[in-house]
Amino acid sequence: FLSFTAEFCCGFFVILILGNFWFLGVLYLLWLYHDWDTPCAGGRRFQCVRNWTIWKYFREYFPIKLIKTSELSPKHNYLLGFHPHGVLVAGAFGNFCTGSSFKTLFPGITPYLHITPIWFGCPFFREYVMSAGMVSASKESVSHVLNNDGGGHASVIVIGGAEESLNAHPGSLTLNILKRKGFIKMALKHGAHLVPVFSFGENELFKQVANPRGSRLRNIQEKLQKIMGFALPLFHARGIFQYTFGLIPYRQPIHTIVGSPIPVKQNLNPTNEEIEQLHELYLQKLTKLFEDHKRNYGIPEQRSLIFE
């Protein structure tokens, strides 16, 4: 979805530069140079864009629902770890970048969804994603959000990243998290409370071509992901008027569960041992969140999360 929209925006920019209105393209390049650091400085959201009517239909299509399990005090800043990535990351976008129920459930908290920095190099597309509340996933950007002295900011990070989208098969419960500890270090440095978030149904929206680890396809996908910064899962779902084949996601309910916060005391220079301890605690809380709610969303009792 992001890739398609970005390609459209880049194509429009090329047409603008090569056409009769090339001077508008040049003006935009000057603006881009001036505004380059904005995605790392809190972005530039517009509530009117977040409240577009189309997002209401987007959320209702699946439908997407946000479930609260605990209060989040606006006196603190938070780092929300979102799982799993899926192919579309629909739960993260629908709940944190549109006029969803987040503001009602968590008054006084402003969410910022962090995405791969490469997207902010796409002309016009960067303006669109920033207007919805998305910012860069760079360390500088996360620090900017969590440095809010008055509290009330929430960095939302899809912990598994692009690599995890290659595991997004229906029924998959595999999370890329064992080596992902940068978010733990950021939480410690800023004293941001950690909140595990699990989105049931995220992996059910598309079917993906079989790509087990070690397969030729998976090796190619992983190499391309390292080169380009984003993954290329080979997926399909339904069409507009038929359910056999297409790129429109299946209508599968998505329930995004926001867990209880893990209090974190600020530590500007955390040791590896302290990072490991908090990472282990986070895994325990994430596991508990999943186990407490899996029965409500059709996950068999014997199924559990797999950490890689």
Side-chain angles (χ1 to χ4, degrees), residues 63-298:
I64 297 173
K65 293 184 178 180
L66 186 67
I67 292 92
K68 170 183 177 180
T69 64
S70 180
E71 296 289 341
L72 297 184
S73 171
K75 295 180 180 179
H76 303 291
N77 293 317
Y78 299 89
L79 196 159
L80 278 61
F82 184 91
H83 313 269
H85 184 288
V87 170
L88 190 62
V89 207
F93 177 79
N95 287 308
F96 304 117
C97 296
T98 72
S100 69
S101 59
F102 185 90
K103 189 174 181 180
T104 302
L105 294 176
F106 303 103
I109 306 293
T110 302
Y112 295 82
L113 179 61
H114 296 270
I115 63 174
T116 305
I118 190 174
W119 297 119
F120 296 100
C122 299
F124 299 116
F125 179 73
R126 68 190 296 274
E127 321 302 336
Y128 160 66
V129 294
M130 278 197 291
S131 67
M134 286 178 261
V135 292
S136 173
S138 66
K139 292 180 181 179
E140 179 186 0
S141 178
V142 176
S143 291
H144 185 277
V145 173
L146 299 181
N147 266 337
N148 187 41
D149 292 334
H153 280 189
S155 280
V156 183
I157 301 178
V158 184
I159 305 300
E163 182 183 357
E164 193 173 85
S165 67
L166 300 179
N167 289 329
H169 296 271
S172 174
L173 296 174
T174 301
L175 303 181
N176 291 57
I177 191 172
L178 291 182
K179 296 181 180 179
R180 309 268 174 157
K181 299 173 185 177
F183 74 103
I184 297 292
K185 188 174 183 179
M186 293 299 292
L188 282 166
K189 282 191 171 184
H190 296 283
H193 294 194
L194 280 168
V195 182
V197 178
F198 194 87
S199 197
F200 289 91
E202 198 74 46
N203 284 338
E204 317 306 316
L205 306 185
F206 297 92
K207 292 179 181 178
Q208 190 173 166
V209 175
N211 60 341
R213 289 193 179 277
S215 65
R216 185 177 181 182
L217 174 59
R218 185 60 168 258
N219 290 336
I220 293 173
Q221 288 175 319
E222 290 176 346
K223 288 179 181 178
L224 289 176
Q225 188 263 323
K226 290 179 180 179
I227 295 172
M228 298 184 297
F230 58 91
L232 292 173
L234 298 181
F235 61 88
H236 65 89
R238 53 163 290 186
I240 298 177
F241 302 111
Q242 44 79 28
Y243 295 86
T244 305
F245 188 84
L247 296 179
I248 297 176
Y250 293 115
R251 297 191 69 177
Q252 295 290 337
I254 298 173
H255 295 89
T256 304
I257 317 294
V258 180
S260 301
I262 303 170
V264 177
K265 185 178 180 180
Q266 187 174 25
N267 183 347
L268 296 177
N269 295 292
T271 63
N272 289 336
E273 183 179 359
E274 290 168 331
I275 293 173
E276 290 287 348
Q277 289 177 350
L278 185 55
H279 187 263
E280 181 59 32
L281 177 59
Y282 180 85
L283 293 182
Q284 293 174 10
K285 294 294 185 180
L286 175 60
T287 299
K288 186 178 187 304
L289 179 68
F290 174 81
E291 294 293 333
D292 287 347
H293 295 274
K294 68 180 183 181
R295 300 170 191 81
N296 299 330
Y297 306 110

Side-chain angles (χ1 to χ4, degrees), residues 11-29:
F12 176 75
F13 178 74
V14 170
I15 293 174
L16 196 65
I17 286 289
L18 299 179
N20 294 329
F21 298 96
W22 59 267
F23 60 93
L24 293 178
V26 172
L27 287 176
Y28 181 78
L29 285 176

